[in-house]
Amino acid sequence: MAKKNALYCQSGGVTAVINATACGVIETARKHGDQIGTVYGGKFGIIGVLREELIETDNLSDATVRALKHTPGGAFGSCRYKLKDLEAQKREYDRLIEVFAAHNIGYFFYNGGGDSSDTAFKVSQLAQEKGLDVTCIGVPKTIDNDLPVTDTCPGFGTTAKYIAVSMMEASLDVESMSESSTKVFIMEVMGRHAGWIAAAGGLAGDNPDQPPQIILFPEIEFDEEAFLKRVKWAVENHGFCSIVVSEGVRDKAGKFLADAGTRDAFGHAQLGGVAPVIAQLVKQNLGYKYHWAVSDYLQRSARHIASKTDLEQAYAVGQKAVEMAINGQNSLMPVIKRLSEDPYRWEIATAELKDVANVEKMVPRDYITEDGFGITEKCRRYLQPLISGEAYPPYKDNGLPDYVRIPHQLVTKKLPDFDI
Ligand code: F6P
């Protein structure tokens, strides 16, 4: 009987280190070449699997695979494609199983967040039901850091570091200008309903007297009056005010301050654009000159300032996923377990996919100061190690990072076309 092949898919919003996970998967599978055949990558994730567009990785040199470790973006392409209900989407699930059978797939690695864990879980259920020998492993990633069970999510540490560094640098800038020009700087960050990335902005200062003087969390209902009072206080006492605002901040009625009005395949509101809303509030009520920035995809792709801890964890979950699969462990996810805080020590543990699926982990109330505008020492102790260490990419003579692009060479199709 031929060795079973592996299929690796990237799913949802990518991160600066998701390719390090891909590298961990491919390198480890190559080490266990006696048990695993070829590793295929789904072109644009699960969409590529449904279309039977599977990317070859056997043709990639060891050096190219290694270079994935320092390259941001999703090398195989990712997607937001809803695959949740086993009954309603039977056609799609059946097609996946058909593609697995056609290409002798025995190992399925799904690298994503909460929604993707749900899909991976359903695929594993279905494979079992159909008596198909496919081991499904979810591999965690998300800059939002909102997966339960795991101490942190690969991708978050690097985004957190980028946001903390950017906040520190921009605050030095606004402070310099504050006597005669700009008094308020606002930076918008991602994170959807969870304020982990916003909290990371708080690492820019060592104590409450240092910027950012205000963090606006999605976990805390936006109180306009208290906010304006705090801005005024910061400008009068420090000369300037630095603000981190999460895209997921809501008003008293529970409405997002910035809902772009569009929805993704999972029904999530597309967020973004809250920084200018906050800036206008400041201008209209207090008259201060401001600047604002939306860190957007920059925070998701900032591989040049990666956290070494994050990079190591991203690689480790990929490596462990393969080891788990060849040990016959099914329907699981490798997760990060904190063993000690100072010094920070961690190991990879395992979680059931069904426990990870569809649960969002919010910032606990005791990680946020009583006034709702800052992070507590407890939060700082949690976050600090996650941004620790630097892992710069190699640079070329032209001054730019030496990132890699892999060829999307597809495997010959064996099945009829499939409309999605
Ligand atoms: O993956 C999570 C995330 O980065 C959220 O923080 C953000 O709201 C969303 O993705 C943006 O997704 P997209 O790139 O699909 O617009």
Side-chain angles (χ1 to χ4, degrees):
M1 164 95 175
K3 272 181 299 191
K4 292 273 186 184
N5 299 317
L7 176 62
Y8 166 78
C9 289
Q10 300 180 322
S11 173
V14 294
T15 79
V17 297
I18 191 171
N19 288 332
T21 302
C23 173
V25 167
I26 299 169
E27 286 190 344
T28 313
R30 285 185 179 186
K31 258 185 219 145
H32 294 277
D34 53 330
Q35 291 167 80
I36 298 186
T38 300
V39 177
Y40 299 123
K43 185 176 177 186
F44 294 112
I46 207 79
I47 289 182
V49 185
L50 292 168
R51 289 183 182 146
E52 205 194 355
E53 292 179 345
L54 309 183
I55 298 170
E56 278 282 2
T57 68
D58 276 355
N59 57 346
L60 305 178
S61 69
D62 287 348
T64 300
V65 173
R66 209 173 313 124
L68 285 174
K69 202 171 173 186
H70 63 247
T71 301
F76 297 94
S78 184
C79 68
R80 293 206 187 275
Y81 183 79
K82 185 173 162 153
L83 203 51
K84 292 191 106 171
D85 196 287
L86 266 178
E87 285 309 311
Q89 287 168 293
K90 191 172 176 312
R91 186 177 158 266
E92 280 88 351
Y93 281 103
D94 284 348
R95 169 71 174 188
L96 289 182
I97 298 293
E98 218 182 3
V99 173
F100 287 179
H103 294 275
N104 191 31
I105 304 295
Y107 308 97
F108 177 49
F109 301 106
Y110 206 33
N111 198 179
D115 294 325
S116 315
S117 306
D118 180 77
T119 304
F121 177 58
K122 299 248 166 63
V123 171
S124 76
Q125 277 182 312
L126 190 68
Q128 269 168 31
E129 223 175 272
K130 304 237 170 197
L132 209 74
D133 182 16
V134 181
T135 304
C136 296
I137 303 286
V139 196
K141 72 86 229 191
T142 170
I143 65 159
D144 297 348
N145 202 38
D146 61 353
L147 297 183
V149 192
T150 187
D151 180 58
T152 183
C153 306
F156 169 68
T158 295
T159 297
K161 188 174 179 101
Y162 175 81
I163 293 300
V165 170
S166 302
M167 214 47 218
M168 199 175 190
E169 293 175 343
S171 297
L172 288 170
D173 191 312
V174 63
E175 185 172 2
S176 327
M177 302 306 291
S178 60
E179 181 59 28
S180 58
S181 182
T182 307
K183 295 220 172 349
V184 176
F185 173 69
I186 303 152
M187 182 157 73
E188 174 177 330
V189 301
M190 284 182 165
R192 205 166 261 152
H193 309 136
W196 295 105
I197 304 175
L203 294 175
D206 298 335
N207 62 60
D209 276 336
Q210 291 182 355
Q213 294 93 339
I214 300 181
I215 301 173
L216 298 174
F217 296 90
E219 286 83 357
I220 305 286
E221 176 183 286
F222 181 65
D223 178 340
E224 188 177 313
E225 204 188 317
F227 165 71
L228 291 169
K229 224 169 124 187
R230 174 99 184 145
V231 176
K232 192 161 183 284
W233 170 86
V235 172
E236 284 171 359
N237 287 274
H238 300 158
F240 71 102
C241 182
S242 277
I243 302 169
V244 183
V245 57
S246 169
E247 62 176 8
V249 168
R250 297 174 199 248
D251 63 16
K252 287 191 169 129
K255 194 174 163 303
F256 292 116
L257 259 51
D259 182 340
T262 45
R263 298 267 176 283
D264 72 11
F266 288 89
H268 302 310
Q270 180 175 356
L271 302 173
V274 69
V277 172
I278 294 292
Q280 275 315 311
L281 264 182
V282 170
K283 182 76 188 162
Q284 275 160 15
N285 291 278
L286 303 170
Y288 298 139
K289 183 181 173 201
Y290 61 79
H291 271 259
W292 54 263
V294 180
S295 46
D296 206 79
Y297 279 9
L298 304 182
Q299 75 203 288
R300 234 164 63 173
S301 56
R303 178 61 186 82
H304 64 285
I305 191 71
S307 148
K308 187 163 180 277
T309 307
D310 188 32
L311 182 71
E312 286 169 2
Q313 292 177 337
Y315 184 89
V317 291
Q319 179 180 26
K320 186 71 178 183
V322 174
E323 290 167 0
M324 285 160 67
I326 55 182
N327 285 333
Q329 293 174 274
N330 199 0
S331 284
L332 298 175
M333 174 179 270
V335 292
I336 294 146
K337 184 173 172 193
R338 184 174 296 224
L339 298 175
S340 76
E341 202 143 71
D342 190 14
Y344 180 56
R345 288 190 306 113
W346 56 275
E347 68 177 18
I348 302 288
T350 54
E352 300 268 349
L353 276 180
K354 64 175 168 39
D355 295 336
V356 182
N358 303 322
V359 182
E360 284 177 316
K361 184 173 75 182
M362 304 302 176
V363 177
R365 188 59 186 88
D366 65 351
Y367 277 32
I368 302 173
T369 50
E370 218 178 305
D371 64 8
F373 293 129
I375 56 168
T376 59
E377 271 314 303
K378 192 170 180 190
C379 183
R380 189 178 293 279
R381 282 200 302 276
Y382 164 74
L383 291 172
Q384 191 63 61
L386 307 181
I387 69 161
S388 284
E390 288 71 47
Y392 301 118
Y395 279 75
K396 295 185 288 190
D397 289 346
N398 66 4
L400 294 171
D402 195 2
Y403 293 147
V404 74
R405 274 172 183 281
I406 60 165
H408 284 188
Q409 192 182 312
L410 301 183
V411 174
T412 309
K413 291 188 179 190
K414 298 182 177 174
L415 298 169
D417 287 348
F418 182 83
D419 285 338
I420 62 164

